[in-house]
Amino acid sequence: MFTYELQRRLATHGTTVAVAAHPGMSNTELARNTPAALRLPLTRLAPLITQTPAMGALPILRAATDPAVLGGQYYGPGGRNEVMGHPRLVTSSPKSYEVAVQQRLWAVSEDLTGVKFPAVRGGETRQAAAR
């Protein structure tokens, strides 16, 4: 959601684009923070239901380096349920496309961080509209 709103804001400012990506399920050290009762079963199942960290990095690398990537796109593993596989263009959840929710997330993020970006108004930023 944040990426979609960022892309909308960047669109009138030149060639910089915002792209999102997710690694799927990668066998990383994040599992060490799971409850102790789940750790052993997850350790045994991991090779069957996860991919290597290197494979998990590929969607992020593609989003960052592929010259054909367009702003607002979302990349993830191309396998079943986007859990494993080589990177491809994927679809985010239906709720993520709701512009009002994207704008609310942006506003809350600005409030929490104190960092402001020019607001979008009718496809233009305030700065662009003033020109």
Side-chain angles (χ1 to χ4, degrees):
M1 290 186 290
F2 194 88
T3 300
Y4 296 139
E5 182 64 16
L6 177 58
Q7 177 56 36
R8 200 170 15 266
R9 290 165 182 268
L10 289 172
T12 60
H13 290 286
T15 59
T16 301
V17 297
V19 182
H22 76 88
M25 291 193 58
S26 299
N27 191 3
T28 66
E29 288 295 312
L30 289 175
R32 74 174 181 261
N33 298 312
T34 59
L38 295 176
R39 231 173 279 140
L40 182 59
L42 283 176
T43 301
R44 293 195 176 164
L45 285 174
L48 303 173
I49 62 171
T50 64
Q51 60 187 356
T52 66
M55 283 296 292
L58 289 180
I60 293 100
L61 290 171
R62 180 169 181 192
T65 63
D66 185 341
V69 168
L70 302 174
Q73 290 183 324
Y74 183 46
Y75 286 85
R80 194 171 92 201
N81 298 322
E82 299 172 21
V83 173
M84 295 187 283
H86 290 283
R88 70 173 174 88
L89 189 60
V90 296
T91 304
S92 57
S93 69
K95 188 82 169 168
S96 71
Y97 295 103
E98 293 183 19
V99 174
V101 177
Q102 295 166 6
Q103 291 172 340
R104 176 73 180 128
L105 174 62
W106 190 275
V108 168
S109 298
E110 283 188 332
D111 289 344
L112 291 173
T113 64
V115 177
K116 303 291 182 195
F117 191 97
V120 173
R121 192 186 304 155
E124 293 185 307
T125 64
R126 287 185 192 146
Q127 288 176 337
R131 288 185 208 151

